[in-house]
């Protein structure tokens, strides 16, 4: 039970301090789940993140559920999922109670603008970390560039892009054994 409570509290802390959604939470997940608690490796976390993006629902919840299930089965999934959503529920109720009265104040608008900039920085750091870790050769760099152009400029569905990239990766590197 102690480990389940620890998992709940860890994911509650992640949920409480992650602004900007699933992309912004990756650095915190790496620190808490990989480095601090050793519940998975960095490669496993990257794989879980990719799966979390491909499945319906919120990335943060999907990843938390996956990690909890991997570590302690269905009961672990329940504790990590409740942990990741609990702070958001509390914060949303508090904000909903007060924000309608304060949303028009300049200081609130400026605070939100500052938070959006911080989220951009966190997402940019996440992108940098993932590119550094996963772009290993010219072929994967080309896949990254073509996928970015397809999704960002040509409005190709992200689901289609993930499926096509998975196929491309399997075709390019499918016969090779994973090192480590």
């Amino acid at each position: 039970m102690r480990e389940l409570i620890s998992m709940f509290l860890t994911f509650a802390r992640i949920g409480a301090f992650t602004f900007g959604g699933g992309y912004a939470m990756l650095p915190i997940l790496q620190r808490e789940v990989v480095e601090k608690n050793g519940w998975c490796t960095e490669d496993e976390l990257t794989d879980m993140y990719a799966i979390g993006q491909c499945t319906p629902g919120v990335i943060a919840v999907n990843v938390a559920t996956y990690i909890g299930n991997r570590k302690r089965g269905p009961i672990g999934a329940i504790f990590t999922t409740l942990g990741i959503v609990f702070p958001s529920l509390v914060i949303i109720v508090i904000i909903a109670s007060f924000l309608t009265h304060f949303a028009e104040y300049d200081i609130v608008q400026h605070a939100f603008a500052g938070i959006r900039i911080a989220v951009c920085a966190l997402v940019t750091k996440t992108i940098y970390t993932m590119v550094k870790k996963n772009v290993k050769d010219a072929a994967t760099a080309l896949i990254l560039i073509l996928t970015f152009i397809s999704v960002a400029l040509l409005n190709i569905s992200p689901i289609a892009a993930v499926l096509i990239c998975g196929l491309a990766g399997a075709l390019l590197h499918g016969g090779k054994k994973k090192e480590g």
Side-chain angles (χ1 to χ4, degrees), residues 134-146 172-173 176:
N134 295 295
V135 176
K136 303 204 182 280
D137 53 27
T140 53
L142 181 62
I143 291 172
L144 171 73
I145 292 165
L146 291 175
L172 288 171
H173 300 290
K176 299 176 184 176

Side-chain angles (χ1 to χ4, degrees), residues 14 16 46 68 91 104 112 137 150 157 160 178:
I14 292 168
T46 301
I91 291 168
E104 299 305 316
F112 282 142
D137 53 27
S150 298
S157 163
K178 188 175 178 179

Side-chain angles (χ1 to χ4, degrees), residues 19-35:
F19 296 95
Y23 297 108
M25 77 183 273
L26 188 57
I28 299 170
L29 272 173
Q30 286 173 322
R31 185 179 66 242
E32 292 290 327
V33 174
V34 176
E35 297 168 14

Side-chain angles (χ1 to χ4, degrees), residues 3-4 11 14 66 69 74 89 92-93 99 143 149 157:
E3 184 178 39
L4 292 171
F11 279 91
I14 292 168
Y66 190 69
N69 188 66
L89 292 175
I92 292 295
V93 168
L99 187 61
I143 291 172
I149 291 170
S157 163

Side-chain angles (χ1 to χ4, degrees), residues 1-18 25 27-40 45 60 63-64 67-68 71 76 79-87:
M1 189 64 171
R2 187 181 308 249
E3 184 178 39
L4 292 171
I5 291 170
S6 173
M7 291 167 66
F8 174 86
L9 292 174
T10 296
F11 279 91
R13 193 168 46 252
I14 292 168
F17 295 106
T18 301
M25 77 183 273
I28 299 170
L29 272 173
Q30 286 173 322
R31 185 179 66 242
E32 292 290 327
V33 174
V34 176
E35 297 168 14
K36 187 176 175 186
N37 291 300
W39 291 334
C40 66
L45 180 61
V63 173
I67 291 170
K71 184 72 181 151
F79 272 76
T80 54
T81 302
L82 289 175
I84 201 80
V85 299
F86 181 74

Side-chain angles (χ1 to χ4, degrees), residues 91-104:
I91 291 168
I92 292 295
V93 168
I94 292 169
I95 289 174
S97 299
F98 296 104
L99 187 61
T100 56
H101 304 308
F102 300 106
E104 299 305 316

